[in-house]
Amino acid sequence: MTRFRLADAPFEIDSLRARLLNERAGGYASFEGWVRDHNDGRKVGGLRYEVYVALAESEGERILSQAMERFDIVEACCVHRIGDLAIGDLAVWVGVSAGHRGAAFDACRFIIDEVKGRVPIWKHEHYRDGDAGWLHPQSNALQDG
């Protein structure tokens, strides 16, 4: 089963959450990252995510497999958008089910932190002043969202 995927269009969370349902699960935790209107004191008008697809998919799967091994969880999945996104768009979603809430929260945090730090997805922000700038995975891991 694929636990990590890239999406070039908006996606529904309900079907992803349904994949996590299991009789062994007593809890569920999720994270949603949205495109915000500012970064480092600059007004953002939108962004574009560029990706090295084959490497991103394999590294994303590796992260989800590590979470399954490292934490006492039932299931986990993550979807990251690519392409052009507007302010307020859902950019990334992580969901984890587990027997207990602690493992679900811990695994969810691990997954989003590792995806932001390791998966080759680059953010090209478009600022309202007409300028644009690239943010790479290493710098994304240091920021919220």
Side-chain angles (χ1 to χ4, degrees), residues 27-73:
Y28 157 82
S30 67
F31 172 81
E32 294 180 20
W34 307 310
V35 178
R36 62 182 176 266
D37 68 354
H38 67 281
N39 186 33
D40 281 339
R42 299 187 74 181
K43 294 181 180 181
V44 175
L47 59 82
R48 178 172 182 78
Y49 283 111
E50 298 282 339
V51 63
Y52 181 160
V53 174
L55 185 55
E57 290 174 340
S58 66
E59 190 63 18
E61 281 296 327
R62 189 173 358 270
I63 291 165
L64 274 286
S65 292
Q66 289 171 345
M68 295 296 295
E69 293 170 11
R70 182 173 174 178
F71 300 94
D72 186 18
I73 60 177

Side-chain angles (χ1 to χ4, degrees), residues 100-115:
H100 301 281
R101 67 181 176 271
F105 284 124
D106 291 346
C108 192
R109 174 95 189 216
F110 170 83
I111 292 166
I112 190 59
D113 287 350
E114 294 298 307
V115 165

Side-chain angles (χ1 to χ4, degrees), residues 1 7 13 33 44 51 55 67 81 93 105 107 113 122 125 128 135 137 144:
M1 168 179 39
I13 295 170
V44 175
V51 63
L55 185 55
R81 285 285 308 277
W93 181 87
F105 284 124
D113 287 350
W122 296 274
E125 288 186 330
R128 291 190 190 162
L135 295 148
D144 293 333

